[in-house]
Amino acid sequence: MKQTHYVAREPDANGFIDYPAAEHEVWNTLITRQLKVIEGRACDEFMHGLERLDLPHERIPQLSEINQVLGATTGWQVARVPALIPFQTFFELLASKRFPVATFIRTPEELDYLQEPDIFHEIFGHCPLLTNPWFAEFTHAYGQLGLAASKEQRVYLARLYWMTIEFGLLDTAHGTRIYGGGILSSPKETRYALSGEPEHQAFDPIEAMRTPYRIDILQPVYFTLPSLKRLFDLAHEDVMALVAQATALGLHAPKFPPKAA
Ligand SMILES: [Fe+2]
């Protein structure tokens, strides 16, 4: 596991997390800004999920508030975790329909970009679509697959996650829209993803698993689903057979420069 300088806040005996005012302010800045940027760019399913969550603007929401909505829609829950968790814990949580949320928020110095997923990324970026049955089913199946996978297979699964749940695009009647939480929690990447600059490829799970990525740059290539139901269908395919095919074919050459040492 990598190093982190963030520490997740602990709840009190009633499960309530008391964030300082400055942290509520960071949430307010992030959500106010991002709601404007995603307009006309996020897919309808994401917007619908946001409506259901009805997130507060002036304060960081408590996980119990999110759980009420997720529980009533798809049966999912969020689970409080430390800043970084091992792969094994990550898969265990998803396999039991619990989405990990580290209860810390980025500092004002890292407002635009941070490599560690904070509570804004997890709640604003991922929870809206966890109210969608197709997306929820895929995320659940993904956790079960990951739990049973070998270390080598998990590397391929990680790319599939990256190219869908984090950085996926969607074909819609009004053009290409975004559903990936990694994009939708970042103002810069939300604009860039649909700017015409990066490459868009029709989603193919084997191709997605063969595509290398870097977590510290804007993505050079995104995969576009024909519909969100494609994820549900994929959840019922033999994904591990696709992993085997992707492994046999090998990785594509990266479309980004190597990370400077
Ligand atoms: Fe994420």
Side-chain angles (χ1 to χ4, degrees):
M1 274 199 296
K2 284 171 297 212
Q3 284 301 310
T4 173
H5 62 272
Y6 286 106
V7 178
R9 294 203 174 271
E10 303 269 341
D12 67 16
N14 300 313
F16 183 85
I17 301 179
D18 191 12
Y19 299 93
E23 297 186 4
H24 289 306
E25 259 175 61
V26 170
W27 173 274
N28 176 258
T29 304
L30 290 169
I31 194 167
T32 306
R33 177 172 76 170
Q34 196 59 6
L35 282 171
K36 289 187 191 117
V37 181
I38 65 167
E39 213 176 297
R41 294 187 172 99
C43 67
D44 290 346
E45 292 88 343
F46 184 90
M47 296 309 289
H48 186 62
L50 262 186
E51 260 170 57
R52 285 193 151 161
L53 286 171
D54 194 19
L55 298 172
H57 291 192
E58 74 291 351
R59 61 176 175 84
I60 300 171
Q62 296 292 319
L63 299 189
S64 58
E65 299 173 75
I66 307 300
N67 282 340
Q68 280 176 17
V69 179
L70 295 184
T73 51
T74 56
W76 271 74
Q77 296 285 277
V78 283
R80 199 184 70 84
V81 297
L84 290 171
I85 54 170
F87 263 131
Q88 180 69 18
T89 311
F90 176 69
F91 288 125
E92 279 169 7
L93 286 168
L94 296 186
S96 57
K97 294 193 188 181
R98 283 177 296 162
F99 202 84
V101 174
T103 43
F104 73 90
I105 196 154
R106 66 195 75 180
T107 59
E109 291 72 34
E110 287 195 293
L111 213 52
D112 291 322
Y113 185 74
L114 82 169
Q115 289 188 29
E116 303 157 58
D118 71 346
I119 192 165
F120 180 75
H121 167 79
E122 305 293 17
I123 288 186
F124 186 90
H126 292 303
C127 290
L129 275 187
L130 283 172
T131 66
N132 177 282
W134 290 330
F135 182 88
E137 173 89 357
F138 173 70
T139 312
H140 185 210
Y142 181 88
Q144 293 170 315
L145 288 168
L147 209 47
S150 69
K151 201 177 155 195
E152 292 73 23
Q153 290 169 326
R154 282 178 177 181
V155 179
Y156 281 82
L157 287 177
R159 286 190 211 101
L160 181 62
Y161 189 92
W162 188 264
M163 300 303 175
T164 55
I165 292 172
E166 295 291 357
F167 289 93
L169 302 181
L170 181 66
D171 242 344
T172 78
H174 0 268
T176 309
R177 293 285 186 271
I178 305 164
Y179 74 92
I183 306 176
L184 289 171
S185 53
S186 154
K188 196 174 176 189
E189 193 137 6
T190 299
R191 290 196 182 91
Y192 164 83
L194 301 181
S195 68
E197 196 183 328
E199 193 181 321
H200 292 181
Q201 284 184 30
F203 177 71
D204 175 297
I206 294 177
E207 287 303 296
M209 288 190 275
R210 296 179 65 201
T211 302
Y213 64 84
R214 260 174 67 181
I215 69 164
D216 59 334
I217 54 168
L218 296 168
Q219 305 305 303
V221 53
Y222 299 93
F223 287 90
T224 310
L225 291 178
S227 79
L228 218 47
K229 184 169 180 291
R230 179 71 184 88
L231 290 182
F232 172 85
D233 295 338
L234 181 59
H236 296 278
E237 284 173 34
D238 186 352
V239 176
M240 296 320 289
L242 301 176
V243 168
Q245 285 181 62
T247 307
L249 290 165
L251 268 185
H252 286 299
K255 290 180 177 171
F256 47 77
K259 195 170 179 173

